[in-house]
Amino acid sequence: MSRFFRNANYSSSSDSESSGSSSDSDSSVNEVVSKPTTTPASRFSRAAFDSDDEDSNVKRVVKTPKQKHTEEVVSLSRTIIKAARESRWQAVTSDFDKLRTAATKLEKVLKGESMPRVFIRCLALLEESTDEKSKGKLSATDARGFNQLKQRLRKYKDYDAQVAEERANPTASDDDADANNEDEDEGSQADSEEERAAPTPGRAAASDSESESEEDSDADSDSDWGSSDDESSDSDSEDDAEAGVSRWLKKTTTKDTSKVKKVKKDRTQRAAAQPSAASAANEEEGGDDDDGFTTVGKKGKAAQGPVYSAESINKFLKTFTASRGRKGTDKKAAIKMLEKLLTLAANPLQKAKVLMALISAQFDDVPAASYMATESWHKAQNSVNELLSVLEANHQLTINETADVHETDDDIKYRDEKLAIRGSIISFVDRLDDEFTNSLRNIDPHTPEYVERMRDTVSLYVTIVRAQHYFERTDIKGSICRIVVRRIEHLYYRTDQVNLHVEAAVADLPSKVDSKIVSASAADNMEAIIHSLCAYLYTNADPLQRTRAMLMHIFNHALHKRYYVARDLMLLSHFQENIHQADAETQVLYNRALSQLGLAAFRLGKIQEAFEHTVELESSNRHRELLAQGVSQQRTQQLSAAEEQQQRLRQLPFHVNINLELLECVFLTSSMLLEIPYMASANANPEARRAPISRVFRRMLDFNERQVFLGPPENTRDHIMASAKALAEGDWEAARDYIQDIKIWSLLPDCEEIKEMLASKIQIEALRTYLFTYSTQFESIGLEDLSVMFGMSKSKVYSLLTRMVYRSELQASLDEVSGVLIFNMANFEASSRMQQTALTLSNKVNAFADINERMFELKINGGQTASDRQQNANEHGGKQQGGDRDGRQNQQRGGNRDGQRGGNSNQDSKGNKNGQGQGQRNGGGNRNGGRGRGQRRGGNRR
């Protein structure tokens, strides 16, 4: 009997009986067909399948939320890893969003436990994939997905610590091993299927005829297709043990052979399409030992890598030069190729050419919006030093920007002939220095990484000095000036003690070269070294380089307290007249030199000069921007993103900056010592308060005085304001204590000397303020009293009073015999503050009275003053008597503008000179002789 018509309760033991006779099978068929309604359900209905599943031995598993979310995260992580390896970035992006949601749910369930290892490995793989500079050729969809994934990974920083640990110590997992085994199984299965599916040429015709006969037989009968299966199942005891129709269901396989073929094909193409530089790197790393594996190209043939040799160096260099700047170029692979070529160079000429190409490739491998990594920078510096070593060892070989292009392919035949190669060493050094500065600009200065990076300053300075020696030997004028400017930029902002340690590293160079610019006798004198470098630029450089050299020279002189030399250089240069026409970097250097001049003058006690050098910078709210130490955003000024980025690129590294708090403290202290005595001299000079010396200080002082409650001083400004108040009251000791308590003075090398100088200046200005304030209260005052009061010697007090009297600051005379200062009261407008205030008030009252009288006259006389009325009277002949025609006398006077009389208040009258008019209470007339009715106080003009 056929297996398709068995009952569910039909035992497997009856299989042997059903194969006995065909009549029994026919009868059984008839029985089953004749009673279709007696069975509870059809054998092939959904219910039959459900019942069959229920009867199977499959156990239902109840999973906890932790297990369910863990499996979801692991599954998505493996899917993303597989898709990322196949560069299907659109699928990776969509699955990454799901993975983030699933990871959030799992993290809540885990409650502090670690995430699955495959999840961390997935994130590490995505970061490594997105960190690559070139992602190859991608479709538009995958490229869009790749960019979206990079943006989302930048914001997803929840597991940075675990990802960093995984990237630092990558570990192989069972998942990767299973994936590899699965790929191998799929590959073998796909190969076997391909072998079975591919017919041989001899059987092609037979297979065609067999396929036609099989189609005919299939069309005739549908039941014969299972006969072979029945025979095999009858002979198999395990198949007999299966119950129901579940054994006849088609089993789905998890292996998709088409996908396997496609994956294998993609892998083969990617392996064959690797650039020649990648194969060179593999050869360099692994040598001849390839572990038994061979790179397979198209059609299963072994891929042939490029063959590197000394004879083929020029060919590969041309290939590299042609590929520079093209989109999709693998820059890391190009660097590895050039490193391989460098080991094969047969002579200095080839080595120099490969090194120049290698340095260019290393600088090309820098992100546009970032800075060069420290490791890459060190490699570039080593390449530059190696190139300089080649040139120092082979004097017949030179590199010049104006040399002819050397395009011959017979470099292998070079035998130490004199030859010039086109190239630019100064460009390499400039780029190396710029990348170093850019890295310092982007690293947080308050971290150990910044200090570690600063250690490379000495090695970079040594490279610059070696380049200078090479340019001096080859006599390249333009490059000499540029490299000397670079050398001064590394020296001018540091003290001589630090620079001497740096110069000691230059003395240890193996190649001793006698410099024409800096003599060997000046090796221990940094002032002489910097002067020699600047003097060379004053003679040979262009105007911009001369300007920058002089500004740096001024800064260095001011830094070492040589104020007068720096001031004379600044005045001789006349920079203040045309500095606004210079570029931004030169203007920043000018502002820095001016600030350092102010600090130098203050350290020497030149308060007036220190104020003049710093007032223009501190009066502006843009001092950070003017010194290139930050971006000062104004409320009324909106910078675009490009402008702000340009300003940030112009910033100086942190170790070069001038302390802005120290600069502000110097400015405010100088302003206090100048402004407080000037304010106290208002008794002798009433215009003093209208023309302040320092508007910034005066504004701060006024704001401080308006405060209702003032606590103890906390910062630098509070200390200076408190000292200014004490100085205005004559309490010089309190003013001195407030100033000396400022902690910022410790940043200056001569801190104690500056504090003593400030105490002496405060004593002097306190005495001057006292004399200006109370000069109207004294007829005379003794010098000994002033000496005791302000803690100064009698000779010093005498000298100060003599200077004040000579400058006419005090209206007094000095009696040397009796030691008394006698004030001359006759020269004062008022002898006391109250009298002066009363006199000022009386002057203002007189002015108000005069204005009041003029307003009153204008009001009661119709807008005419007394002089106007007198003039009109003289023009029209004075006043005239008027009456009416009936001979009646008017009781009141009235008239028009020409001085005529007319009418009274009770009777009509005609009193107009040229015409008629009617008057009422006060009379009225018409100016032009026409009729008009007079109003209460005047007449009609027409």
Side-chain angles (χ1 to χ4, degrees):
M1 149 180 169
S2 176
R3 293 180 183 272
F4 288 105
F5 301 101
R6 285 182 179 175
N7 275 332
N9 299 326
Y10 195 83
S11 63
S12 62
S13 62
S14 62
D15 292 340
S16 61
E17 297 176 359
S18 62
S19 61
S21 62
S22 62
S23 61
D24 295 338
S25 63
D26 295 338
S27 62
S28 62
V29 170
N30 293 333
E31 290 177 358
V32 174
V33 174
S34 61
K35 298 178 181 180
T37 59
T38 59
T39 60
S42 175
R43 299 283 307 180
F44 301 98
S45 64
R46 178 63 182 237
F49 291 159
D50 294 341
S51 63
D52 204 11
D53 294 339
E54 292 176 359
D55 293 340
S56 62
N57 296 327
V58 178
K59 294 183 179 180
R60 295 182 181 272
V61 179
V62 179
K63 298 180 180 179
T64 61
K66 178 180 177 180
Q67 294 174 341
K68 184 168 61 175
H69 293 318
T70 303
E71 290 181 359
E72 185 180 2
V73 169
V74 170
S75 176
L76 286 171
S77 299
R78 291 176 177 172
T79 304
I80 289 175
I81 291 174
K82 186 175 181 181
R85 289 172 178 171
E86 298 173 2
S87 298
R88 293 185 287 110
W89 298 110
Q90 184 64 27
V92 170
T93 304
S94 60
D95 289 341
F96 181 72
D97 295 336
K98 300 177 184 177
L99 180 62
R100 290 175 59 181
T101 306
T104 304
K105 296 179 182 178
L106 178 59
E107 188 177 5
K108 294 179 181 178
V109 175
L110 291 178
K111 297 180 179 179
E113 298 181 14
S114 60
M115 296 292 288
R117 195 69 179 175
V118 67
F119 171 71
I120 302 299
R121 191 178 303 107
C122 174
L123 295 180
L125 176 63
L126 291 180
E127 285 193 4
E128 291 177 0
S129 302
T130 54
D131 286 344
E132 295 179 358
K133 305 302 181 297
S134 175
K135 57 181 181 291
K137 294 183 179 179
L138 298 176
S139 63
T141 306
D142 286 337
R144 192 182 308 112
F146 183 84
N147 294 330
Q148 292 176 356
L149 180 64
K150 287 178 65 176
Q151 295 176 0
R152 294 174 188 177
L153 279 176
R154 289 195 191 112
K155 300 178 181 178
Y156 194 59
K157 301 295 182 182
D158 298 342
Y159 305 97
D160 281 352
Q162 296 90 326
V163 171
E165 181 181 358
E166 175 65 26
R167 295 183 68 176
N169 302 311
T171 57
S173 64
D174 297 337
D175 300 332
D176 297 337
D178 295 342
N180 294 333
N181 295 334
E182 183 179 350
D183 293 340
E184 292 177 1
D185 295 341
E186 291 175 356
S188 61
Q189 180 180 357
D191 294 340
S192 62
E193 289 179 358
E194 290 177 359
E195 291 176 359
R196 289 196 301 268
T200 59
R203 296 181 56 189
S207 61
D208 295 339
S209 60
E210 287 177 2
S211 62
E212 292 177 0
S213 61
E214 286 175 1
E215 290 176 359
D216 296 339
S217 61
D218 291 340
D220 294 339
S221 174
D222 294 332
S223 62
D224 293 340
W225 64 274
S227 60
S228 60
D229 293 339
D230 292 342
E231 293 174 0
S232 61
S233 61
D234 290 341
S235 63
D236 194 353
S237 61
E238 293 180 359
D239 292 343
D240 295 338
E242 296 181 2
V245 298
S246 60
R247 60 187 297 181
W248 298 105
L249 295 177
K250 185 178 180 180
K251 297 180 180 179
T252 59
T253 60
T254 59
K255 310 309 193 276
D256 191 351
T257 59
S258 62
K259 293 184 178 179
V260 172
K261 295 177 182 178
K262 184 177 180 180
V263 169
K264 288 177 66 64
K265 183 177 180 181
D266 292 341
R267 291 177 181 173
T268 304
Q269 290 179 355
R270 287 200 302 271
Q274 292 296 328
S276 59
S279 60
N282 294 334
E283 292 178 5
E284 181 181 359
E285 294 175 359
D288 297 334
D289 186 10
D290 56 355
D291 296 333
F293 294 97
T294 303
T295 304
V296 179
K298 294 183 179 180
K299 298 182 181 181
K301 296 181 179 180
Q304 297 294 332
V307 178
Y308 298 102
S309 62
E311 292 78 6
S312 61
I313 285 180
N314 275 342
K315 180 184 70 174
F316 287 108
L317 288 179
K318 290 179 181 179
T319 304
F320 164 74
T321 305
S323 63
R324 280 190 67 190
R326 291 183 180 178
K327 186 177 181 181
T329 302
D330 193 346
K331 299 176 182 177
K332 293 187 180 299
I335 292 174
K336 292 179 180 179
M337 179 191 70
L338 293 171
E339 290 174 350
K340 178 67 176 178
L341 294 176
L342 183 61
T343 60
L344 300 175
N347 50 52
L349 176 60
Q350 287 187 336
K351 199 169 185 178
K353 283 187 174 183
V354 175
L355 280 172
M356 287 193 294
L358 178 59
I359 295 170
S360 301
Q362 289 169 340
F363 285 135
D364 289 343
D365 191 28
V366 179
S370 182
Y371 61 94
M372 197 173 188
T374 305
E375 183 180 358
S376 302
W377 187 87
H378 283 149
K379 291 181 180 179
Q381 185 188 25
N382 293 335
S383 301
V384 173
N385 288 333
E386 188 174 358
L387 179 60
L388 290 174
S389 300
V390 171
L391 297 176
E392 289 169 357
N394 302 273
H395 289 184
Q396 75 281 359
L397 192 63
T398 58
I399 299 177
N400 197 344
E401 296 179 358
T402 59
D404 296 333
V405 180
H406 190 264
E407 295 181 348
T408 59
D409 295 335
D410 55 352
D411 293 344
I412 193 67
K413 302 178 182 178
Y414 176 74
R415 294 294 181 270
D416 297 338
E417 297 90 357
K418 189 174 182 179
L419 182 64
I421 311 173
R422 175 173 290 184
S424 179
I425 302 295
I426 186 61
S427 299
F428 293 151
V429 178
D430 286 346
R431 181 67 184 274
L432 194 67
D433 191 17
D434 292 340
E435 291 296 340
F436 177 75
T437 305
N438 194 23
S439 65
L440 292 176
R441 189 184 296 120
N442 286 274
I443 298 174
D444 186 1
H446 306 290
T447 58
E449 183 183 0
Y450 191 90
V451 180
E452 187 70 23
R453 193 73 177 97
M454 279 291 298
R455 295 180 180 178
D456 297 327
T457 306
V458 179
S459 61
L460 177 59
Y461 180 77
V462 171
T463 303
I464 292 174
V465 174
R466 292 181 64 185
Q468 176 188 339
H469 292 167
Y470 166 74
F471 293 136
E472 288 183 31
R473 179 172 59 83
T474 55
D475 196 20
I476 306 176
K477 294 292 185 182
S479 299
I480 293 176
C481 295
R482 290 172 62 182
I483 203 67
V484 168
V485 170
R486 289 282 177 179
R487 186 175 180 180
I488 298 175
E489 287 177 352
H490 281 263
L491 295 175
Y492 82 97
Y493 63 89
R494 293 190 294 225
T495 59
D496 290 344
Q497 293 81 1
V498 179
N499 286 333
L500 285 175
H501 289 288
V502 177
E503 287 292 334
V506 177
D508 297 336
L509 287 175
S511 58
K512 300 295 183 180
V513 179
D514 293 334
S515 176
K516 301 177 183 177
I517 300 176
V518 180
S519 61
S521 60
D524 297 334
N525 188 353
M526 286 308 304
E527 181 182 358
I529 291 176
I530 295 178
H531 177 76
S532 300
L533 295 173
C534 294
Y536 178 82
L537 293 176
Y538 297 156
T539 308
N540 301 282
D542 56 32
L544 178 60
Q545 292 174 342
R546 285 200 303 268
T547 300
R548 293 185 62 84
M550 184 168 290
L551 289 174
M552 288 186 285
H553 203 183
I554 292 170
F555 188 98
N556 188 261
H557 280 308
L559 181 65
H560 293 89
K561 213 173 177 178
R562 297 187 289 266
Y563 169 73
Y564 295 103
V565 179
R567 183 198 62 182
D568 293 342
L569 278 176
M570 180 67 78
L571 294 177
L572 289 173
S573 62
H574 299 282
F575 287 144
Q576 61 273 13
E577 298 176 1
N578 53 8
I579 192 62
H580 61 277
Q581 299 177 357
D583 58 303
E585 287 76 11
T586 306
Q587 291 185 22
V588 168
L589 193 55
Y590 172 79
N591 295 333
R592 286 170 53 81
L594 205 60
S595 303
Q596 197 64 42
L597 266 177
L599 294 177
F602 185 82
R603 290 167 62 185
L604 293 175
K606 303 291 182 181
I607 303 300
Q608 181 67 35
E609 288 81 356
F611 173 79
E612 292 174 355
H613 290 316
T614 57
V615 62
E616 186 176 0
L617 189 65
E618 289 295 328
S619 298
S620 171
N621 295 327
R622 301 169 54 240
H623 52 275
R624 289 182 179 273
E625 180 182 347
L626 295 176
L627 293 174
Q629 297 180 195
V631 180
S632 56
Q633 188 74 25
Q634 303 290 333
R635 272 186 266 176
T636 58
Q637 180 183 10
Q638 295 294 333
L639 295 179
S640 62
E643 293 175 346
E644 186 173 356
Q645 180 66 18
Q646 188 67 23
Q647 286 191 8
R648 294 191 183 280
L649 292 176
R650 200 180 295 133
Q651 305 307 306
L652 296 174
F654 180 78
H655 68 281
V656 186
N657 291 351
I658 298 174
N659 193 299
L660 295 179
E661 186 178 358
L662 176 62
L663 191 63
E664 183 185 23
C665 182
V666 168
F667 167 71
L668 292 179
T669 304
S670 303
S671 301
M672 178 193 72
L673 295 176
L674 295 175
E675 189 71 29
I676 296 301
Y678 187 66
M679 292 171 61
S681 65
N683 291 332
N685 184 14
E687 300 295 329
R689 288 187 177 273
R690 300 181 185 177
I693 296 177
S694 174
R695 296 183 183 274
V696 176
F697 177 81
R698 185 74 69 88
R699 186 166 55 248
M700 289 183 182
L701 186 61
D702 293 342
F703 177 78
N704 188 271
E705 290 177 349
R706 289 196 301 267
Q707 299 299 314
V708 178
F709 173 77
L710 289 175
E714 298 178 356
N715 52 26
T716 303
R717 288 187 180 183
D718 293 344
H719 279 85
I720 295 176
M721 292 300 111
S723 178
K725 288 184 177 181
L727 184 62
E729 295 172 359
D731 190 357
W732 69 274
E733 293 180 346
R736 178 199 61 191
D737 294 339
Y738 281 127
I739 288 295
Q740 291 185 350
D741 288 342
I742 299 175
K743 298 180 180 180
I744 199 68
W745 301 126
S746 60
L747 297 180
L748 294 173
D750 43 1
C751 173
E752 296 301 326
E753 296 179 6
I754 290 176
K755 288 183 178 180
E756 294 177 2
M757 179 269 297
L758 287 175
S760 175
K761 292 291 181 182
I762 288 174
Q763 287 177 330
I764 295 174
E765 299 304 328
L767 175 57
R768 297 179 69 241
T769 303
Y770 182 81
L771 293 176
F772 286 141
T773 305
Y774 301 105
S775 60
T776 57
Q777 309 299 323
F778 293 98
E779 292 183 359
S780 63
I781 187 170
L783 301 184
E784 293 184 358
D785 296 337
L786 294 176
S787 175
V788 172
M789 186 181 302
F790 293 97
M792 300 169 62
S793 63
K794 186 176 179 180
S795 59
K796 194 172 184 179
V797 173
Y798 180 81
S799 174
L800 177 62
L801 295 179
T802 304
R803 185 166 61 250
M804 293 179 67
V805 172
Y806 177 76
R807 294 178 179 176
S808 299
E809 294 178 352
L810 285 177
Q811 301 295 330
S813 59
L814 192 60
D815 190 352
E816 299 182 9
V817 177
S818 58
V820 175
L821 180 66
I822 303 173
F823 294 97
N824 186 6
M825 303 300 296
N827 295 328
F828 285 91
E829 295 182 359
S831 60
S832 65
R833 288 186 177 181
M834 183 176 295
Q835 292 176 355
Q836 184 178 4
T837 306
L839 181 61
T840 303
L841 182 61
S842 65
N843 291 334
K844 291 184 179 180
V845 170
N846 289 333
F848 283 135
D850 188 28
I851 294 174
N852 240 0
E853 290 178 0
R854 292 182 181 181
M855 294 290 293
F856 183 73
E857 289 179 359
L858 291 173
K859 184 176 181 180
I860 64 175
N861 294 304
Q864 290 183 341
T865 62
S867 59
D868 294 337
R869 291 196 303 272
Q870 184 66 30
Q871 182 178 1
N872 290 336
N874 294 334
E875 288 179 358
H876 297 283
K879 301 180 181 180
Q880 296 180 4
Q881 188 77 19
D884 56 8
R885 288 185 180 180
D886 297 335
R888 302 181 212 179
Q889 208 72 16
N890 293 328
Q891 293 182 0
Q892 295 182 2
R893 278 195 266 179
N896 60 5
R897 188 172 179 180
D898 296 333
Q900 307 298 325
R901 302 171 185 264
N904 60 21
S905 61
N906 297 325
Q907 297 179 2
D908 295 339
S909 63
K910 301 178 181 178
N912 199 318
K913 182 178 180 180
N914 298 324
Q916 294 180 349
Q918 292 182 348
Q920 287 187 355
R921 184 174 181 180
N922 294 328
N926 198 311
R927 181 179 178 183
N928 297 326
R931 292 181 179 270
R933 187 173 296 274
Q935 303 297 326
R936 185 173 183 179
R937 292 196 177 183
N940 219 345
R941 287 186 74 173
R942 295 176 182 172

